Amino acid sequence: MPSTLPLGEPAPADGRLPPSAVAGSRDRAFGLYVHIPFCAVRCGYCDFNTYTAAELGGGASQASYALTVERELEFAGGALAQSGIAQRALSTVFFGGGTPTLLPSQDLSRVLQTAKNVWGLEPGAEVTTEANPDSVTPESLAELARAGFTRVSFGMQSAVPHVLAVLDRTHAPERVPLAVEWARAAGLKVSLDLIYGTPGEELSDWESSLEAALTLEPDHLSAYALIIEDGTALARRIRRGEVPMVDDDDHADKYEIAENMLRGAGMSWYEVSNWARTGEDQCRHNLAYWKGHDWWGAGPGAHSHMGGTRWWNVKHPAAYAQRLDTGASPAAGREILDETARYVEDVLLRSRLAEGYLVAGLQPEGRHAVAGLIADGLIEPADAFKGVVRLSGRGRLLADAVVRRLLPN
């Protein structure tokens, strides 16, 4: 969740949504994202809406945060009902951050219980929390499992100490196997997040990180290319010449290494940056984002989407709490996507999935581009002849370029 909020029109204080968001809501999946904006240390590459205790000062409290989020969930239930949105049980819940597990497991469990009270959970619902390996214990993970959590996504990032140091990560590599072992003992599925392309990371370092992750046999793995965001500590270090700039060719080499090693270990990609052992291990919450379903985002800076209407909350935890204290929506602004914007987003997101995008769903410019994409080796020809745009290995490396060619100029 980037820390800079987009521009948009004012969001109504009562949280009501337009009729366009209501249409078809009964047929769309419904998920909940809960943003926990607290971190023990701000990582040098991070541009997310997160805060350390020193940055927050006396303006907001971790101790009262769960209660504040519970108030938003209760507000959300009323706002959706008043808007005429179909009442649906949650199919997925995702606690992200920040570091959600900096809050006591009892607080996370309380928030989940409130969500159950407001909407209910579908049978077999996926409930995930992100966690740093050094922010969990066997007891805390067991308590989360008892409360109904089903997955934990650990921010491993790297297994190489000097790479972790550049990223300002606080955990030691040997902590990751322990955290995974504790999660499995609690009955939780395990996902690992890795970052490649850190300044100073050699190809051998990246191979070591992948080997270490695969040794733990995760159910799911995400591998993200490091993006240098303006205003971050790492961007300042690069500007001063303390560490080298990241390199696109290096990213490409490391993506190919990841694909080869992960495929060799029996993991299949289902989205450009994500691999899973089986279809059941794919992250259903993130799939709902890519497929344009509905979700409510709770917490400061969190984004929500319902049927083509998107809105985002005020950024700072103190301002967020103040809005809810008055009974008003915490939303800072919103946008109602027109038909063109919805089409562009649909192509942008769905074409990144392994299942591909139906050629028949493309506008004429996109359909005409398919032959050129086949010739350039960016989409799989056999799938294209069956009417599906599916990225090839090279196409995944150049996913953004593929999308640009499928969309109107």
Side-chain angles (χ1 to χ4, degrees):
M1 181 189 302
S3 60
T4 302
L5 296 180
L7 300 174
E9 65 181 42
D14 62 6
R16 290 202 185 201
L17 299 174
S20 59
V22 178
S25 57
R26 193 172 300 280
D27 300 322
R28 298 190 297 267
F30 179 39
L32 172 67
Y33 172 78
V34 180
H35 185 59
I36 310 297
F38 308 114
C39 284
V41 174
R42 175 174 288 279
C43 297
Y45 62 91
C46 180
D47 185 43
F48 283 12
N49 187 39
T50 61
Y51 305 85
T52 65
E55 289 170 329
L56 280 173
S61 168
Q62 290 188 32
S64 62
Y65 185 73
L67 179 60
T68 305
V69 173
E70 289 179 79
R71 285 206 300 270
E72 184 182 359
L73 300 187
E74 291 162 355
F75 174 91
L80 294 183
Q82 292 166 14
S83 300
I85 297 286
Q87 175 69 21
R88 295 159 292 172
L90 294 164
S91 56
T92 63
V93 182
F94 196 102
F95 287 71
T99 309
T101 44
L102 278 185
L103 292 187
S105 53
Q106 300 94 318
D107 283 4
L108 299 180
S109 300
R110 278 179 47 197
V111 172
L112 178 59
Q113 184 59 52
T114 299
K116 292 178 184 177
N117 295 342
V118 173
W119 293 294
L121 286 181
E122 286 185 353
E126 175 191 274
V127 183
T128 304
T129 185
E130 294 181 334
N132 282 348
D134 56 0
S135 67
V136 297
T137 65
E139 294 76 20
S140 68
L141 290 168
E143 182 164 351
L144 292 175
R146 286 193 296 270
F149 285 77
T150 63
R151 295 174 81 247
V152 59
S153 179
F154 288 116
M156 177 179 175
Q157 316 311 4
S158 176
V160 179
H162 77 84
V163 175
L164 291 172
V166 173
L167 295 172
D168 293 322
R169 299 296 292 180
T170 58
H171 70 271
E174 57 269 21
R175 179 75 176 193
V176 179
L178 284 174
V180 170
E181 179 184 345
W182 298 336
R184 287 240 170 78
L188 297 167
K189 287 193 172 185
V190 172
S191 178
L192 297 176
D193 281 2
L194 295 175
I195 290 176
Y196 59 89
T198 300
E201 179 188 58
E202 302 291 340
L203 292 180
S204 58
D205 294 330
W206 176 232
E207 291 172 344
S208 295
S209 292
L210 287 165
E211 288 169 356
L214 289 171
T215 298
L216 301 177
E217 299 184 342
D219 305 291
H220 182 278
L221 189 143
S222 300
Y224 300 110
L226 179 65
I227 296 174
I228 304 300
E229 301 287 356
D230 290 341
T232 61
L234 186 53
R236 292 190 291 272
R237 292 186 67 192
I238 290 173
R239 191 166 57 248
R240 292 192 298 263
E242 296 174 8
V243 294
M245 182 60 184
V246 298
D247 179 79
D248 289 344
D249 290 337
D250 179 68
H251 280 172
D253 290 343
K254 287 172 179 172
Y255 185 90
E256 290 182 335
I257 288 171
E259 167 59 8
N260 290 334
M261 291 182 65
L262 294 172
R263 185 176 64 244
M267 302 191 79
S268 301
W269 78 276
Y270 68 96
E271 191 275 339
V272 168
S273 300
N274 290 274
W275 289 258
R277 290 209 172 272
T278 70
E280 292 184 355
D281 296 322
Q282 295 176 6
C283 180
R284 286 187 276 141
H285 187 83
N286 284 343
L287 281 171
Y289 291 159
W290 292 315
K291 293 182 177 182
H293 292 301
D294 291 350
W295 71 90
W296 188 286
H303 286 56
S304 303
H305 174 266
M306 296 275 167
T309 295
R310 180 178 294 111
W311 67 98
W312 44 90
N313 288 347
V314 294
K315 280 179 53 178
H316 198 277
Y320 167 73
Q322 289 165 5
R323 292 277 187 102
L324 289 164
D325 285 343
T326 67
S329 167
R334 77 176 187 182
E335 60 180 337
I336 301 173
L337 304 179
D338 60 21
E339 185 175 341
T340 299
R342 295 188 74 173
Y343 169 74
V344 168
E345 287 202 358
D346 193 47
V347 175
L348 174 68
L349 297 174
R350 283 181 177 263
S351 62
R352 295 174 61 89
L353 298 176
E355 65 189 48
Y357 196 93
L358 291 176
V359 174
L362 294 169
Q363 292 180 357
E365 297 94 329
R367 292 198 295 273
H368 292 155
V370 168
L373 292 169
I374 294 173
D376 292 341
L378 297 177
I379 62 175
E380 298 288 356
D383 292 317
F385 293 135
K386 296 175 184 176
V388 177
V389 174
R390 183 173 183 267
L391 297 176
S392 66
R394 184 165 179 264
R396 279 183 274 153
L397 286 171
L398 300 171
D400 292 338
V402 173
V403 169
R404 284 196 297 271
R405 289 170 63 175
L406 291 172
L407 293 173
N409 293 326

